[in-house]
Amino acid sequence: MNDSSPFVAVIGGGPAGLMAAEVLAQGGARVALYDAMPSVGRKFLLAGVGGMNITHSEPKAPFLGRYGARRDALATLLEDFDADALRAWIHALGIDTFVGTSGRVFPTDMKAAPLLRAWLKRLRDQGVTLHTRHRWLGWDESGALRIAGPEGDTRIKADACVLALGGGSWARLGSDGAWVPLLEARGVAIAPLQPANCGFEVDAWSPLLKEKFAGAPIKPVAMGLEGEPLRQGEFVLTAGGIEGSLVYALSSAIRERINASGRATLHLDLLPGQSLEKITRALSRPRGSRSMAKHLHSQLGLDGARAGLLRELSAKDDFLDPARLAAAIKRLPLTLVRPRPLDEAISSAGGVTFEALDAGLMLQALPGVFCAGEMLDWEAPTGGYLLTACFASGRVAGRGALDWLAAHRG
């Protein structure tokens, strides 16, 4: 590499930006990476708190199915850097991985920091320069990148640029969506950013339910939207609604149902391991002088937050009829009215549409400018799918930039 090598600016120091920087450096480019935060990889590190779920080991077809409406676009990105390739790449950094009982893949020590440290060392060894506390502000009249840093605004002339600025969730870690108007002003088509893997709100819980059970887990439970099969798992009651792994898995469908009709009704099975007939028989047994709460506990093991939710969402008359109460336990309606704010979401949907990009993830409206990561218009549930696609898209954008430079530099 020398001064005649092409110079590429990468904006954003998350997994997509770092991966693009690596591919570019390996391809002979001079690479400078700019990130607005005091250090790179902040959202990556926070996502690793409690266990760094890096990818998932399930077969290719169901894996790709996790990307929903953008399955085909993500399949293209993942063609040569799928979950297996990502694991091999991590192993090459000296980090071992293992597959958990759920099929999720983790570093052996469950931590993100050692992986990030090893990666940053390799990037520096490859000649990548990292500039933190440098925020991208768009372009000036000459097409130079405007960068605001500790020493003031600077102008950067780059032969190509990779934008990996994240979505709109967790603004305190750098993903604030501030890039949206900058690209829209240049004619780039952007789908509105929306919360994904998020909690949802109800109209209002009763004061009693909020006081006694806000923060309580609901498990075991099965849940599904009207007309769809139920999925088993667990969620958490919040002061204003619900959140947790089962809710996140359904969040895309719930959000779109709310977008379409203003609300979404879920049906809960509070006893997924027991049949309607068995529950009806148990509730039909005489309870004598026992309270209904004690009857539910002794006959069905239904108490605590689950029992509180049953009382909250079912009619008073249901408790007078064992058959009706059993039916409520197996199919309890819960209506959600809005997602929690975007900044609270684990990830975001929306972003730069794939129709605005070419196969190398270059913006059709801005030749030489490439996009990668969560700022693209796709979403996925938690479980390693988000990270895998961010890594893969960074590689595609890096390769796309190299190919474009080779074709357009004399």
Side-chain angles (χ1 to χ4, degrees):
M1 189 184 307
N2 52 55
D3 289 344
S4 65
S5 300
F7 171 61
V8 183
V10 176
I11 314 296
L18 294 172
M19 183 59 81
E22 177 173 300
V23 170
L24 287 160
Q26 289 173 344
R30 291 178 293 126
V31 183
L33 184 145
Y34 302 89
D35 193 275
M37 303 305 290
S39 57
V40 300
R42 290 206 158 194
K43 190 173 180 182
F44 179 72
L45 289 173
L46 187 58
V49 173
M52 180 74 255
N53 177 201
I54 199 76
T55 189
H56 203 287
S57 63
E58 70 183 348
K60 183 176 181 178
F63 189 104
L64 292 175
R66 305 296 183 180
Y67 298 102
R70 288 301 193 182
R71 180 192 186 282
D72 291 345
L74 271 296
T76 300
L77 299 184
L78 292 164
E79 275 181 2
D80 67 346
F81 200 74
D82 58 11
D84 291 337
L86 176 54
R87 290 186 73 185
W89 176 86
I90 293 170
H91 297 162
L93 283 171
I95 307 293
D96 289 332
T97 61
F98 73 96
V99 179
T101 54
S102 64
R104 298 184 181 203
V105 178
F106 302 87
T108 301
D109 63 4
M110 300 289 286
K111 297 177 181 177
L115 191 161
L116 183 60
R117 282 197 300 270
W119 193 8
L120 292 178
K121 180 183 183 305
R122 186 161 75 184
L123 288 170
R124 291 188 179 100
D125 290 344
Q126 291 170 339
V128 175
T129 58
L130 304 177
H131 303 274
T132 54
R133 293 188 171 90
H134 282 70
R135 177 176 289 276
W136 177 64
L137 302 177
W139 296 269
D140 69 8
E141 298 79 4
S142 71
L145 298 165
R146 295 179 55 212
I147 306 287
E151 299 177 0
D153 288 6
T154 59
R155 301 293 186 270
I156 305 295
K157 273 288 189 182
D159 296 303
C161 172
V162 176
L163 302 177
L165 291 154
S169 65
W170 296 10
R172 65 191 176 88
L173 300 179
S175 297
D176 58 9
W179 52 267
V180 172
L182 299 176
L183 293 187
E184 285 182 330
R186 297 278 175 147
V188 177
I190 298 173
L193 296 179
Q194 301 184 85
N197 292 296
C198 59
F200 291 86
E201 297 178 1
V202 297
D203 272 327
W205 291 133
S206 67
L208 179 63
L209 189 77
K210 284 198 292 186
E211 180 182 342
K212 290 192 66 175
F213 298 116
I218 303 293
K219 63 178 182 179
V221 68
M223 171 192 293
L225 285 162
E226 181 73 49
E228 297 182 6
L230 304 188
R231 297 178 60 165
Q232 188 165 334
E234 64 180 90
F235 66 90
V236 175
L237 290 178
T238 67
I242 59 174
E243 65 181 20
S245 58
L246 187 52
V247 179
Y248 302 154
L250 297 171
S251 64
S252 176
I254 295 171
R255 185 193 67 234
E256 293 309 308
R257 191 71 62 92
I258 292 173
N259 286 345
S261 59
R263 55 188 51 225
T265 298
L266 293 167
H267 291 284
L268 310 180
D269 182 349
L270 297 178
L271 293 172
Q274 299 188 42
S275 68
L276 176 64
E277 293 75 15
K278 182 179 178 181
I279 294 170
T280 304
R281 287 197 303 270
L283 292 174
S284 298
R285 297 185 185 113
R287 63 184 176 95
S289 61
R290 289 180 304 179
S291 66
M292 177 56 74
K294 289 184 177 179
H295 191 53
L296 288 168
H297 172 71
S298 64
Q299 295 300 318
L300 298 169
L302 189 64
D303 53 16
R306 281 189 299 167
L309 195 58
L310 177 64
R311 285 206 175 267
E312 181 83 5
L313 298 175
S314 56
K316 287 184 179 180
D317 289 348
D318 289 346
F319 287 85
L320 304 177
D321 183 329
R324 286 174 60 181
L325 185 57
I329 290 171
K330 293 298 288 183
R331 192 173 172 80
L332 189 66
L334 169 60
T335 299
L336 304 172
V337 296
R338 69 186 68 86
R340 291 294 298 165
L342 174 59
D343 193 45
E344 294 181 14
I346 292 174
S347 59
S348 58
V352 176
T353 67
F354 281 91
E355 292 74 19
L357 301 160
D358 71 6
L361 299 184
M362 185 177 76
L363 290 169
Q364 311 266 16
L366 296 171
V369 180
F370 299 76
C371 295
E374 204 178 327
M375 67 184 293
L376 304 182
D377 179 22
W378 61 275
E379 63 180 306
T382 56
Y385 309 103
L386 291 164
L387 275 176
T388 304
C390 284
F391 280 110
S393 66
R395 287 181 69 87
V396 171
R399 288 180 177 176
L402 289 172
D403 290 343
W404 184 82
L405 287 165
H408 289 81
R409 291 182 88 240

